[in-house]
């Protein structure tokens, strides 16, 4: 299911934007093209009519031909890659060739590079680094605060502009933010922006949500689009408007309808995660948290401690991966483990009760299961997981989950962590303080 | 630095392969195009001359025009996306339009879909699902064992073949493996394959390695190319040959030279990780492992327990995130924490010694540091990390690291984990049993 973009066809000011990713490593599949995704998102936010992307290797003639081709159908081209000092960095040269233009050295850029690399001023003039200082005469330089390779803004002919960026994502992104956004807004914006607001779901699948909001998925402005990934579901509401306030007003009624329909499944918005929402709620309640992990082996703890500020509510965990440690660190009697098995509701509950005491936390979550690929049996297959949550006033919740046998080890661990965090979130919701 | 692919220009049998990714969500930047990367890797392994990729939205006319364009310059096109039942799934229709061909229903496919979805046989004939059963008369179906949308192999004109796949990665991949590889090998291979072997480095940076192997980076067959990512470095050696054995023979001398030059920095090959190598070595030595984590908050444990079989050497961990738990679970006296600070060599060493005892493991690693963004001071800035490793015969190694202030919280955690694992690996190497 994808957002409807028909409303874009009304834009008059911009024939279209394209992205060209340059680098043989992309064609070999050695790296994933995250640059194209990042720039696409930025272009969406700027409200631009971006309709095509290409990827090509480090071959001067092919790059040159492709750029000529693009200049006939689009008015703005963003390139990434091929700006460095090595022989296979050919972008600027190839662009110049497309328009039969000569490159000239910018002495000030050479001084900058020498300074950045702390090179002696007597470094030979034929250094391969010098290549990065050659640009068409009338190109505007995009300075690179994170590396040596600058980019350019160049208008080789009427109605066609090229912006070049290095392939290194951190360099490209800072150059985009410091230079490109402003330039593009001034020269290519039709006065409209796209603004998005995302609702994050847990505990419900894409098909169930889509079924219930068929009407919303057909909207034109704002559009509503679901994105699902390993137990997580997001609905992105995107409005086209002349400013952020107007966009927010378009989004508001749709958001309210969704929140009403799916109240307990929506845990947060935009960049909020299950962890960050849980930490915020516990902070508000002045309650603390600790874990006893077996099959997730530290992933639950790590998911919480990724969040800055988690130390204010998270005390720590006992990763009792072996049965020996379930006994010695969590005081679970050997005969109980023998009787019920380490992967059982009984032992998960023992783990959470004892962890809560040992960690001196208000809440504790324990998890024991079989992440696979081996260790499963007919009664307890790979993918079975027991979760037990203990809290104030003798609160205990026990949860049993069996994840699909098509899930691999890491997926089962990640899905389990989601269930742990969402279950505690729902318990806290039902026990408002 | 990228591999030199000049040797590909000798290939006579195949004008070239292109990949076309179809989906407005790609142009909006909502998802990263991992499909193109995965297929690129597969094409490389098949030794095909793949020189261009494109991405386009769900717009029938644009898709159709682009496919016509591609059919003039390439002989094989792989498409992903747009095969489903929704109105914006337009791929098959658009392809047919490019060559003025009519689509016909395949009744057997409709039966299959109904069976897959357990639909009653009386489902209406105008169901949107039915769209997935229409193909050009002479197209060969690529069956989809994971979903409802089949793909096709179709030769609309002499010298041009299209293979279509759904955009869902798991469906695309299994269809590729079960049907496409065979077909492509039979019809497009020139008898050469590409075969790669990757060496994985830890503890050394890309620039240091590249400097020393300037000669190898210039090789044509095999090629040598470095890939760096957050403290990890890989060198991929790729050979073009008529079979795997020949390729391995081309790779062997280069690999040996690299292993000699960087012996202690190379920890493994291909899919081996620091964790998997460490687990293998401990298994061989019949020694066990446990952790006491503070600033990494479970990430070190989780990195080990991602690996299947880790339970054979990993006993568990104490995540003593709060100082309170450093006292209660790891028996570190309050006055020592006050005297040295929780982030110090002294406390890291206390943590590892006591963890080794509590966890009853042969080896233990403790880590305490400041992952940020807050909590730093002039003496102990964000990015400072103390690691202490304890082992048999009173072995103690203490390590202090200060990661760059440009690193964020999660990067500092991940880099710290790498240092922990690589340090223990080096200790084990020096103490061969």
């Amino acid at each position: 299911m994808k957002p409807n973009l028909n409303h874009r066809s009304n834009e008059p000011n911009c024939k279209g934007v394209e992205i060209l990713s340059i680098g043989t490593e992309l064609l070999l599949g050695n790296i994933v093209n995250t640059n194209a995704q990042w720039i696409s998102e930025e272009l969406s936010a700027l409200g631009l009519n971006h309709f095509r992307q290409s990827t090509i290797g480090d071959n001067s003639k092919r790059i040159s031909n492709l750029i000529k081709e693009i200049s006939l159908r689009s008015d703005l081209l963003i390139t990434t890659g091929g700006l460095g000092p090595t022989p296979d960095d050919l972008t600027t040269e190839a662009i110049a060739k497309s328009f039969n233009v000569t490159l000239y050295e910018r002495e000030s850029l050479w001084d900058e590079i020498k300074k950045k690399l702390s090179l002696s001023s007597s470094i030979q003039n034929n250094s391969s680094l010098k290549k990065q200082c050659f640009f068409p005469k009338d190109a505007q330089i995009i300075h690179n605060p994170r590396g040596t390779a600058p980019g350019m803004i160049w208008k080789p002919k009427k109605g066609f502009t090229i912006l070049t960026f290095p392939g290194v994502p951190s360099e490209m992104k800072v150059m985009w933010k410091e230079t490109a956004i402003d330039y593009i807004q001034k020269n290519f914006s039709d006065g409209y922006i796209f603004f998005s607001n995302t609702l994050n779901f847990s505990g419900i699948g894409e098909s169930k949500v889509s079924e219930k909001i068929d009407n919303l998925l057909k909207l034109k402005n704002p559009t509503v689009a679901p994105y699902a990934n390993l137990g997580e579901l997001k609905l992105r509401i995107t409005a086209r408007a002349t400013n952020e306030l107007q966009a927010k007003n378009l989004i508001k009624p749709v958001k309210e309808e969704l929140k009403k329909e799916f109240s307990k499944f929506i845990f947060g918005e935009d960049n909020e995660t299950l962890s960050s929402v849980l930490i915020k709620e516990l902070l508000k309640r002045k309650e603390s948290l600790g874990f006893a992990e077996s099959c997730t082996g530290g992933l639950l703890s790590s998911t919480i401690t990724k969040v800055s500020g988690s130390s204010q509510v998270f005390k720590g965990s006992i990763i009792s991966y072996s049965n020996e440690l379930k006994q010695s660190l969590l005081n679970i009697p050997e005969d109980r483990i023998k009787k019920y098995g380490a992967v059982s509701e009984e032992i998960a509950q023992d783990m959470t009760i004892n962890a809560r005491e040992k960690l001196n936390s208000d809440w504790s979550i324990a998890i024991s299961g079989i992440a696979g690929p081996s260790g499963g049996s007919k009664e307890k297959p790979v993918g079975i997981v027991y979760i037990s949550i203990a809290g104030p006033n003798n609160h205990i919740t026990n949860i049993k989950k069996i994840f699909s046998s098509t899930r691999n080890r890491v997926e089962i661990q990640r899905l389990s962590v989601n269930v742990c965090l969402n279950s505690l979130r729902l318990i806290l919701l039902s026990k408002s303080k």
Side-chain angles (χ1 to χ4, degrees), chain A:
Chain A
M1 202 68 75
K2 299 139 196 176
N4 187 311
L5 285 183
N6 288 345
H7 49 69
R8 289 194 170 189
S9 54
N10 306 326
E11 287 165 36
N13 289 354
C14 180
K15 264 190 296 178
V17 190
E18 293 194 40
I19 298 174
L20 171 58
S21 310
I22 298 165
T24 299
E25 70 276 26
L26 290 163
L27 295 183
L28 287 173
N30 292 326
I31 56 169
V32 176
N33 193 351
T34 55
N35 282 344
Q37 181 267 334
W38 191 86
I39 295 170
S40 299
E41 241 184 335
E42 291 286 308
L43 292 174
S44 287
L46 290 167
L48 288 177
N49 189 24
H50 159 218
F51 66 87
R52 189 160 163 179
Q53 298 170 358
S54 307
T55 303
I56 196 121
D58 303 307
N59 175 306
S60 181
K61 205 171 154 192
R62 284 205 176 117
I63 300 172
S64 192
N65 286 341
L66 180 48
I67 284 171
K68 244 183 274 174
E69 184 191 314
I70 293 171
S71 75
L72 301 176
R73 64 178 180 239
S74 296
D75 47 14
L76 177 60
L77 171 65
I78 316 288
T79 75
T80 59
L83 301 185
T86 69
D88 54 6
D89 287 311
L90 301 164
T91 301
T92 315
E93 222 176 289
I95 293 175
K97 211 188 285 169
S98 307
F99 304 99
N100 294 315
V101 157
T102 312
L103 298 174
Y104 294 91
E105 185 188 341
R106 311 256 173 140
E107 278 185 29
S108 61
L109 288 179
W110 182 225
D111 291 339
E112 260 177 53
I113 289 174
K114 283 189 286 187
K115 214 169 132 191
K116 276 180 182 169
L117 298 176
S118 312
L119 300 174
S120 81
S121 57
S122 64
I123 184 173
Q124 285 177 337
N125 248 335
N126 60 3
S127 158
S128 67
L129 289 167
K130 206 157 183 183
K131 197 168 142 186
Q132 301 168 95
C133 309
F134 282 80
F135 287 93
K137 224 170 199 160
D138 51 343
Q140 175 189 335
I141 300 303
I142 306 181
H143 289 277
N144 182 344
R146 290 275 179 101
T148 57
M152 67 172 178
I153 299 174
W154 187 42
K155 200 169 174 175
K157 63 175 202 178
K158 200 168 173 285
F160 185 64
T161 305
I162 302 181
L163 272 67
T164 64
F165 296 88
V168 180
S170 58
E171 299 179 13
M172 180 275 286
K173 288 178 189 175
V174 63
M175 290 163 74
W176 179 272
K177 282 181 184 157
E178 286 184 2
T179 309
I181 291 181
D182 238 32
Y183 177 85
I184 293 174
Q185 262 179 333
K186 271 190 198 128
N187 295 279
F188 292 92
S189 168
D190 64 348
Y192 283 87
I193 58 155
F194 282 85
F195 181 83
S196 288
N197 196 181
T198 302
L199 297 180
N200 302 326
F201 290 65
S202 190
I204 190 167
E206 180 178 8
S207 58
K208 268 215 174 130
V209 171
S210 296
E211 248 169 48
K212 285 196 177 172
I213 56 164
D214 201 38
N215 59 325
L216 297 183
L217 293 175
K218 284 180 187 148
L219 289 178
K220 302 258 162 121
N221 193 16
T223 57
V224 177
Y227 302 96
N229 180 31
L230 201 64
E232 289 168 9
L233 174 70
K234 292 169 184 287
L235 278 192
R236 184 182 294 203
I237 315 166
T238 305
R240 180 172 183 264
T242 52
N243 59 57
E244 210 175 292
L245 183 67
Q246 200 187 62
K248 282 180 177 164
N249 284 335
L250 284 165
I251 288 171
K252 203 178 164 196
V254 177
K255 191 159 113 178
E256 277 170 4
E257 192 178 332
L258 285 165
K259 284 197 164 178
K260 211 170 132 194
E261 177 77 40
F262 301 104
S263 63
K264 71 170 188 165
F265 298 106
I266 296 174
F267 66 81
E269 295 188 22
D270 299 327
N271 292 325
E272 287 180 317
T273 59
L274 277 171
S275 296
S276 72
V277 164
L278 200 54
I279 290 168
K280 215 165 114 188
E281 178 63 22
L282 287 168
L283 251 177
K284 215 170 69 190
R285 301 163 73 105
K286 296 199 174 91
E287 290 177 340
S288 60
L289 182 61
F291 305 134
E293 295 187 59
S294 187
C295 63
T296 46
L299 188 64
L300 180 56
S301 308
S302 153
T303 305
I304 281 283
T305 56
K306 258 185 201 162
V307 181
S308 157
S310 50
S311 61
Q312 290 180 274
V313 302
F314 179 64
K315 291 209 158 179
S317 299
I318 291 168
I319 316 291
S320 53
Y321 210 56
S322 65
N323 286 347
E324 178 193 337
L325 292 188
K326 288 185 185 78
Q327 295 168 42
S328 68
L329 294 183
L330 285 168
N331 298 352
I332 302 177
E334 194 181 351
D335 56 352
R336 272 183 73 81
I337 297 181
K338 273 201 182 134
K339 186 170 171 193
Y340 300 109
V343 178
S344 63
E345 185 176 305
E346 289 80 1
I347 299 303
Q349 185 173 316
D350 286 359
M351 284 169 70
T352 202
I353 290 172
N354 296 356
R356 185 166 173 264
E357 200 190 302
K358 290 258 175 187
L359 303 169
N360 190 25
S361 60
D362 296 302
W363 293 92
S364 66
I365 306 178
I367 177 157
S368 184
I370 301 168
S374 59
S377 66
K378 211 175 161 188
E379 297 79 47
K380 294 186 179 165
V382 168
I384 198 169
V385 161
Y386 292 93
I387 295 166
S388 186
I389 299 179
N393 305 318
N394 298 319
H395 176 93
I396 295 282
T397 300
N398 288 321
I399 297 150
K400 177 184 172 181
K401 273 266 170 192
I402 301 180
F403 296 109
S404 156
S405 60
T406 61
R407 298 296 188 186
N408 67 30
R409 179 178 178 85
V410 173
E411 287 172 340
I412 290 170
Q413 290 177 328
R414 283 179 54 194
L415 288 166
S416 301
V417 165
N418 278 353
V419 174
C420 287
L421 298 174
N422 194 44
S423 302
L424 179 54
R425 179 184 75 84
L426 291 174
I427 292 170
L428 295 183
L429 263 185
S430 71
K431 291 184 177 285
S432 58
K433 245 194 154 173

